[in-house]
Amino acid sequence: RQSPLAAATTGLELLQQRRELTVQSARFLTKQVTRRELVPVLPDGLLTSSRTLMVAGTVRYVLDLAHLSQADLSWNAATRTLVVRRPPLLVSEPQFHVQDMSQMEEGRIVLWLTGSEPELDKANWAKASADVRGAAQAPALVESARQSADKALTDLFRLPMAAAGFADVKVEIVG
């Protein structure tokens, strides 16, 4: 019969082949407006154009399994506990659902005269990306993702250990 750490190493090798593990995802709705004034000294709204973007974006909370190594595993024989150091939890770049997006514009003549439509669109997409990334960093969401990561790692290490005859072993995630 192999040792508990050897059984855990088998689980580690399987995880490393995956490179990453999505433990949670979140979807956010963002609305961004960018304005451009053709002649800033004129009364507000006169010769002004704007583009509004409303779009949903999804981020994934991912464990970077490539950073998980043998050094992240330790065995406590007295408590029959495998201790696993959690690899980095990353938040992916937003994936936007362009099929569901909505765009509106005001000041079409100014947009046409200045050709600023692409510039306003680019600014809106940049602001949307920053908004979704910021929302994804909310402490409650990050903590929820950590808890999901810990549960997933516990289950993923417990399975090969149980298959190797160590069904009563505890798995503790730290980090």
Side-chain angles (χ1 to χ4, degrees):
R1 177 170 149 163
Q2 67 186 131
S3 72
L5 205 50
T9 300
T10 301
L12 171 65
E13 290 167 358
L14 293 171
L15 287 174
Q16 287 173 325
Q17 290 173 8
R18 294 185 69 171
R19 301 199 46 80
E20 67 178 33
L21 176 66
T22 299
V23 295
Q24 183 171 297
S25 65
R27 184 174 169 144
F28 303 93
L29 182 62
T30 182
K31 177 182 176 183
Q32 301 302 322
V33 179
T34 302
R35 290 181 168 73
R36 178 158 187 211
E37 293 182 77
L38 187 59
V39 183
V41 295
L42 292 177
D44 190 33
L46 198 60
L47 295 181
T48 298
S49 63
S50 69
R51 297 270 294 172
T52 301
L53 170 68
M54 291 180 289
V55 67
T58 299
V59 295
R60 296 177 306 119
Y61 297 84
V62 178
L63 280 176
D64 184 358
L65 299 176
H67 284 88
L68 191 60
S69 71
Q70 184 71 38
D72 296 313
L73 306 179
S74 62
W75 173 248
N76 182 329
T79 61
R80 299 194 47 78
T81 302
L82 173 69
V83 179
V84 180
R85 188 175 325 127
R86 181 188 326 104
L89 181 65
L90 309 173
V91 180
S92 72
E93 286 297 313
Q95 298 295 311
F96 289 103
H97 308 275
V98 294
Q99 69 277 11
D100 298 329
M101 79 174 180
S102 178
Q103 289 186 312
M104 296 176 286
E105 58 189 36
E106 291 179 7
R108 184 74 186 133
I109 292 173
V110 174
L111 287 171
W112 179 76
L113 287 172
T114 62
S116 61
E117 196 169 325
E119 172 189 324
L120 298 179
D121 285 342
K122 184 177 179 181
N124 277 343
W125 282 107
K127 291 193 295 187
S129 184
D131 184 44
V132 170
R133 280 194 315 271
Q137 294 297 331
L141 287 173
V142 173
E143 180 56 29
S144 175
R146 274 194 195 104
Q147 289 174 5
S148 294
D150 290 354
K151 174 146 181 24
L153 284 172
T154 298
D155 293 345
L156 290 168
F157 275 101
R158 190 173 284 142
L159 186 65
M161 295 193 72
F166 301 103
D168 63 333
V169 165
K170 291 179 255 166
V171 178
E172 178 184 348
I173 309 300
V174 296

